[in-house]
Every structure is written in structure tokens, then in C-alpha cells.
Amino acid sequence: MRDGTKTKESIDRTSLRLFVEKGVAETTIRDIASAAGIAEGTMYRHYASKDELAWSLFSKNFTALSRELDRLQKEQPGTREKIEAMIRCFCTLFDDDPILFSYLCLHALHGQIGKMTPDRPHAMEVLIKVIDGGMDRGEITKGNPTVAASMVMGIVLQMATSKVYGRFDESMTDLADTIVAASWRVVGE
Amino acid sequence: MRDGTKTKESIDRTSLRLFVEKGVAETTIRDIASAAGIAEGTMYRHYASKDELAWSLFSKNFTALSRELDRLQKEQPGTREKIEAMIRCFCTLFDDDPILFSYLCLHALHGQIGKMTPDRPHAMEVLIKVIDGGMDRGEITKGNPTVAASMVMGIVLQMATSKVYGRFDESMTDLADTIVAASWRVVGE
DNA sequence: CTTTAGAAAGTGAACGTTCATTCACTAATG
DNA sequence: CATTAGTGAATGAACGTTCACTTTCTAAAG
């Protein structure tokens, strides 16, 4: 039996890049096929449709990221360490794979994230949970945990956005200490 | 001569709403015409193309917002007051017209904002300028003004995003004090 | 070791649909 | 009556998807 693993990987990486560069709707199957060096029909051996391709790329990776965040958070004893671990995870993901980060956290938010069923792990909910726990334990200023989590997430995501636009030169990991410190100033006791 | 002002306003509001609800690419001229109660050809009496419609809605309103932010900022003596005035402006815009806010600040970022020429007023640059000035005057902790501005902008925009998703009940104006306080904790001296 | 059958992957022209745009025509207004 | 707004069927291009066909690979049979 013929092995299509390499082809599928090529489809995944190429379409991820084009989806981020031009947007999902603006990327045609012909664009993907041409950039990946395959025929137009080949994608359909691996995905039922363009929609399924876009959704698979999002849901698989977003679920993995959310699980990883939850795993890292559980490893840490205190709330500050939990939040620091999560922020460093975002920074590392950005530096390692800015295209994937952009697709998951900056682009796909509208259109894909609305399809996430409530049962699946969700990065934002992990952060809310951590902050809620931190408030219970008195490690975080009492208040609305969703509001606090939104602010922390906002700092991280807008930093990534500015990095994408080339507004600063440091890597996200270089700035991780700064981001953690700022986030803690926002939510910390 | 016939007056098309009302029709144009109807096109503007209807397409703005649909662009935010479904995305620009996913909104067809038929969608707009049908929802606005006009014929398909009518839009072309007011805009040369769908692209021009999307761009006009963005650039006109984004420039107006950026100018307003700059005007408000100039009215204030201190850096804290400047930032507070700008954040309150974002909150008011959101509460008054969440659809316009979403189009300008949450959706159109990718696709439209890249077309902004550097000479035009740009909300982010106004904020960077204010923070840069605040650092010079010793009212803001010394550092990279772009990084500080990104964090403040991130707090505001992610709060708006969470509000769009219905993650909390308060209006943005209700939370303005909280947002200003958090932002100042991030950048303030 | 060689042959061969079957299964899955790869191909790309063709298909049907959808879409943005056009245009000849009509309606309104000054 | 001239000018601009409004109309909606028609147009052609672009797109996602299909499918009959080819290629490649595995493994069982000889």
C-alpha cells in the first residue's frame, strides 16, 4: 500500500501557511496544490473538504495546546507559577511555530473557535480555572476570574500580534519575563 | 436629482453587520442586497466593488477613531489621564456600536489593517506615542514603549472579545475603571 | 527471487455552482 | 428633460469537488 504520510504533512504545513498568509476563504485548493506540489484532487484523499482541512488543523492543534496548558498548570504548586508556566508555553509555541500560533490564536478565532464544543479543552477556560482557583486560595485579587483571565490572555495575544507585525525585535521567549511580570501586576495579590 | 443617501447608509450598516457576523469573504453581494432590501446592482452606484466597500468602511471609521483618540489624548495633561481617556473611548465605542468596534478592532485586523499607509493616523501608534512621552516624563516605567502599548491594547481588545463572546455581563463602560487600573498597573511608574 | 493482484495514493480535466460585476432599462427628482 | 439612483437578468470567471484513470507499494503466490 502506498504511503501518503509525507503528502499529508505537506498539505498540512502548506495550507496552514497559506491560511495564515491570505486567510482561509482567500486560499484556494489550487493555491494549496500548487504550493505543495501536488494535484488538485490529492487533498481529497486525506480530507473530505477544504472546510474539514481548516477545521482539522484548528481543532487538533488547539486541543493539544489546551491540554498542554492544563498539564503544565497542574505541575505547578502556586498560582503565580501556574500562570508563568502557561505564558511561557505560549511564548515557546510562538517562537517555535509562529504560523501555527497565528492560526490557532490570532486568525482562526472567528469561524473555527465557535465550532468548539464545550466539552473540549479550551485554553481560555484553563486560564479562567487557574485564576478562579488562585482567587479561592487568596493568591489573586478577588474579582471576576473571567475578566482577569481576559486581561492576561490579551497581554499575551497582543504581544504576539505586535511581534507578527514586526513591531519589536526580541523573541517572545526573550520577553516572557516581562509578560509574566505584567500579567502578575494585573491579577496578583 | 435623486437622493441615495439613505440607501448608502443602509448598505453601510447592513454590510458592516454581515461582515462581522459572517466575515467579509463569506458575505455575498446577494446577502447584502437582500438584507438591505435593495437590488444587487444598487451597491455599485455607491461603491466600485465589494473590496472598496469593505475598505471604505474600515479606513473611514478607523481613521476617525484614531483621530478621536489623538484628540482626547492631547486634551489631557498627564500620561495616566491620557491613557484613561483613550481606554474610555474604546469602551464607549464598544457599548455604542459593538458591530463597528468588532469590525475595526477584532475582525478587520487581518486583511484591511495591512493596507493602512504609514501616513494615516493609527490607534496603536497614538498609544505608543503617549506611552513613549510618558516614559520621557518619568510617568511610566522606562522600557520599550511598543511592548507597553501592546500590553495595554491587548487588555482592552481581549476584554472586548470576551464581551462579544458573552463571557461577562457588565458593559465595557462598567468595567472601564477596572481596565484603566489594570493597564496602569502594567505600565505605570 | 520473481511475479502479480489488490489497495491506497496521486492525477488533472471536467463539472456544476456560486459569485462579483455589468448593463440596458426604469423611476424619481430638481 | 437631464441627471442620478435603482433594478435584476445576464455574463463570465473562479472555485470546490468529482471521477476515471495511472502510479506506487505491499505482500501473497509461484
Side-chain angles (χ1 to χ4, degrees), chain B residues 2-44:
Chain B
R2 218 167 159 182
D3 180 22
T5 311
K6 283 277 162 56
T7 304
K8 180 164 178 166
E9 278 166 16
S10 170
I11 292 169
D12 286 0
R13 289 252 35 108
T14 304
S15 54
L16 201 60
R17 179 174 59 80
L18 293 174
F19 286 169
V20 168
E21 279 174 15
K22 322 203 304 170
V24 173
E26 291 77 10
T27 301
T28 69
I29 301 296
R30 279 173 179 81
D31 289 336
I32 297 168
S34 153
I38 57 170
E40 289 169 41
T42 303
M43 189 212 80
Y44 294 91

Side-chain angles (χ1 to χ4, degrees), chain A residues 60-178:
Chain A
K60 235 185 54 167
N61 290 295
F62 189 77
T63 301
L65 168 63
S66 302
R67 273 197 227 286
E68 172 73 358
L69 289 170
D70 202 34
R71 194 184 63 73
L72 288 167
Q73 165 265 313
K74 285 201 176 91
E75 277 182 1
Q76 300 298 326
T79 304
R80 197 190 196 283
E81 292 94 330
K82 286 175 189 286
I83 290 174
E84 170 156 5
M86 293 174 75
I87 289 175
R88 288 190 186 281
C89 176
F90 275 104
C91 291
T92 304
L93 174 61
F94 186 98
D95 290 339
D96 286 354
D97 197 342
I99 291 173
L100 178 59
F101 186 100
S102 297
Y103 188 63
L104 294 183
C105 301
L106 308 179
H107 286 250
L109 290 170
H110 302 279
Q112 308 284 6
I113 214 162
K115 297 182 198 163
M116 288 296 285
T117 50
D119 56 305
R120 287 189 201 242
H122 188 308
M124 185 67 180
E125 279 157 24
V126 176
L127 182 57
I128 294 172
K129 189 179 67 182
V130 165
I131 288 179
D132 200 23
M135 285 177 180
D136 283 347
R137 294 195 273 161
E139 292 171 356
I140 283 189
T141 310
K142 292 273 193 304
N144 184 330
T146 299
V147 167
S150 298
M151 290 178 172
V152 172
M153 190 65 88
I155 290 173
V156 175
L157 296 189
Q158 190 64 37
M159 285 294 291
T161 301
S162 288
K163 178 67 189 164
V164 167
Y165 283 127
R167 289 209 180 99
F168 52 78
D169 295 325
E170 299 92 327
S171 73
M172 285 292 284
T173 304
D174 286 342
L175 291 165
D177 285 344
T178 306

